[in-house]
Amino acid sequence: MLPVAPPYPVPLCVTLLAVAAASTDIASRRIPNRLVLLGLAGALVAQCLLHGVLAGVLGWLAGAATGFGLLLPFYLLRGMAAGDVKLMLAIGAWVGAEMTFYIVLATFLAGGIGAIAYALLRGRVRQMWANVRTLIVRRSQAARAEADDGPAEIASVGTLPYGVAIAVGTLGMLFASCA
């Protein structure tokens, strides 16, 4: 069962934050820190006004920590940029921990579909599957034993503005939870 949508004005504010971030990510391949900071500050004020200071701060922290914690490993593995992690931190601060978890799942689904569509449009599907195979082999026990051969080369099939996937996942979950 999906979590209940956050109270008004949270969905509107989160929608504006996600769309603004996706737009700047498409245009400049960056998510500005000031946009994230504005989102965090607005979320803190909104959470405190809606739930009281203590509950608001705790909900704000829980949501932010969830968004940050779920995406940080992908940043550390060089799978996404720091701006994407910070954006999910800000979105989590607005919507709380439970909704953030679902938004991250929806974002991964949107990002995966986007990556496959991008590879199809660029004619790079074969290279994408070769990369996936290489990553799986690297993680297997046999690959660790044969690490002396050095890492296999992975040729990028391109990069996506992941802020778009985050926006799609966020908006999808907000709309789904309102239904």
Side-chain angles (χ1 to χ4, degrees):
M1 178 162 209
L2 294 177
V4 176
Y8 181 81
V10 172
L12 174 63
C13 295
V14 172
T15 298
L16 292 173
L17 175 62
V19 169
S23 298
T24 59
D25 203 12
I26 289 169
S28 66
R29 301 307 289 252
R30 300 186 70 246
I31 298 172
N33 285 336
R34 62 195 134 114
L35 179 63
V36 173
L37 289 173
L38 181 63
L40 284 169
L44 181 59
V45 170
Q47 293 292 358
C48 289
L49 289 174
L50 289 169
H51 305 291
V53 174
L54 182 59
V57 169
L58 291 176
W60 182 83
L61 282 171
T66 301
F68 181 77
L70 290 174
L71 291 192
L72 180 63
F74 297 96
Y75 167 74
L76 295 174
L77 293 170
R78 298 175 153 184
M80 70 179 46
D84 303 323
V85 178
K86 293 182 280 188
L87 174 60
M88 189 55 71
L89 175 138
I91 289 171
W94 276 101
V95 300
E98 183 182 14
M99 179 64 85
T100 300
F101 176 78
Y102 285 98
I103 287 172
V104 168
L105 292 179
T107 295
F108 289 161
L109 179 63
I113 291 169
I116 291 169
Y118 183 83
L120 282 168
L121 290 172
R122 296 280 185 151
R124 307 286 313 261
V125 174
R126 192 169 293 187
Q127 182 62 51
M128 180 185 70
W129 288 120
N131 291 349
V132 169
R133 245 187 341 270
T134 300
L135 290 172
I136 291 169
V137 169
R138 279 187 187 174
R139 302 295 180 240
S140 71
Q141 292 289 4
R144 286 187 205 144
E146 298 173 13
D148 297 334
D149 295 340
E153 282 298 312
I154 292 182
S156 175
V157 295
T159 60
L160 294 173
Y162 208 71
V164 174
I166 293 172
V168 169
T170 300
L171 297 177
M173 284 310 305
L174 287 176
F175 290 128
S177 66
C178 289

